[in-house]
Amino acid sequence: MKLNILKKNGLETGRFLKIKNDSLKEKKNHIIYLEIKRYFSAQRQGTNKSKERSEITGSTKKIQRQKGSGNARKGNIKNPLFRSGGRIFGPKPKKFNFKLNKLFKVLAKKLLIYFKIKKNKVKILEDFFLKKKKTFLIKKLIKTLNLEKKKLLIIINKKDKNFFIASRNLKLLNVISIEELNIFYLANSDYLIFFESVFKKLFNIILC
């Protein structure tokens, strides 16, 4: 599988990358499902909490005598039957996240990128740095790639701060470094745009 390397003006450089890893050709959709499930589970705070009878502040004095009143026995004011009393079997803080093997996490990202490549939704740009923090430069890049009005994810080198700042005002564009790359960003984007050096870090590739 070959990918053309493009210049920042959208023209082809004449060079391309070839993915070497044959293990990605196997169908392992369940790994992607597990990694997306793990990501969303980890976002849940799990801080729901209601006070039980023992945690309520109030008098422990018995409201009425046990027998002879004609009413049900009530105990003290913290009884769950009363308003502002303790709650029976209420929610408690808990963690929803679960662990996945590190190799599974990496493989899930690679598989998702591989599926995007098969649908021609991945672009590779040769490395460059923005000299100015100007949004119109990013808009110009998107226009030359014919990807306007598409939800884009650009994965760049961490060093280029100008690229991050220049792209902040664009709603349909997310710019992240390779260290921040996660399964949600990959799945939630129509097109992926990688810098050449970034793509080489993710895959074992053959330069052509």
Side-chain angles (χ1 to χ4, degrees), residues 109 113 129 152-161 163-165 167 173-183 185-186 192-195 197-199 201-202:
K109 292 176 189 175
I113 294 168
F129 289 93
L152 305 177
L153 176 66
I154 301 181
I155 302 96
I156 68 171
N157 293 307
K158 194 175 183 179
K159 299 175 184 178
D160 195 352
K161 292 182 179 179
F163 209 107
F164 282 107
I165 295 169
S167 61
L173 175 64
N174 281 317
V175 177
I176 60 173
S177 65
I178 189 170
E179 290 81 10
E180 299 170 316
L181 186 63
N182 61 55
I183 199 78
Y185 279 123
L186 292 173
L192 306 177
I193 302 172
F194 288 92
F195 276 25
S197 60
V198 174
F199 194 78
K201 288 180 183 178
L202 287 172

Side-chain angles (χ1 to χ4, degrees), residues 45-57:
Q45 292 183 347
T47 54
N48 290 8
K49 176 72 171 68
S50 64
K51 289 186 177 181
E52 297 181 351
R53 184 170 183 167
S54 61
E55 299 170 310
I56 296 289
T57 301

Side-chain angles (χ1 to χ4, degrees), residues 126-141:
E126 64 178 0
D127 293 346
F128 67 91
F129 289 93
L130 282 186
K131 296 180 180 179
K132 298 179 181 178
K133 304 169 186 176
K134 298 294 182 181
T135 304
F136 81 89
L137 295 173
I138 307 295
K139 285 185 175 180
K140 186 178 179 181
L141 172 63

Side-chain angles (χ1 to χ4, degrees), residues 65-183:
R65 60 182 182 172
Q66 183 80 347
K67 297 181 179 180
S69 66
N71 299 317
R73 43 196 160 181
K74 296 188 175 73
N76 57 40
I77 198 67
K78 298 191 284 184
N79 192 317
L81 299 175
F82 294 135
R83 184 168 178 246
S84 72
R87 185 172 173 183
I88 305 170
F89 304 126
K92 294 181 180 180
K94 60 180 177 179
K95 294 181 180 179
F96 292 92
N97 59 322
F98 58 92
K99 291 185 178 181
L100 271 184
N101 191 309
K102 287 183 180 179
L103 294 175
F104 268 38
K105 294 178 184 179
V106 175
L107 184 58
K109 292 176 189 175
K110 288 184 177 181
L111 281 169
L112 197 48
I113 294 168
Y114 181 79
F115 292 146
K116 296 265 188 184
I117 292 171
K118 288 179 74 174
K119 295 180 180 179
N120 296 319
K121 292 191 174 183
V122 174
K123 305 285 185 183
I124 309 294
L125 294 177
E126 64 178 0
D127 293 346
F128 67 91
F129 289 93
L130 282 186
K131 296 180 180 179
K132 298 179 181 178
K133 304 169 186 176
K134 298 294 182 181
T135 304
F136 81 89
L137 295 173
I138 307 295
K139 285 185 175 180
K140 186 178 179 181
L141 172 63
I142 294 171
K143 190 174 182 179
T144 54
L145 295 173
N146 295 320
L147 296 177
E148 295 170 290
K149 296 182 180 180
K150 301 288 185 182
K151 193 180 287 187
L152 305 177
L153 176 66
I154 301 181
I155 302 96
I156 68 171
N157 293 307
K158 194 175 183 179
K159 299 175 184 178
D160 195 352
K161 292 182 179 179
N162 289 347
F163 209 107
F164 282 107
I165 295 169
S167 61
R168 284 187 302 191
N169 291 333
L170 301 176
K171 292 182 179 179
L172 294 176
L173 175 64
N174 281 317
V175 177
I176 60 173
S177 65
I178 189 170
E179 290 81 10
E180 299 170 316
L181 186 63
N182 61 55
I183 199 78

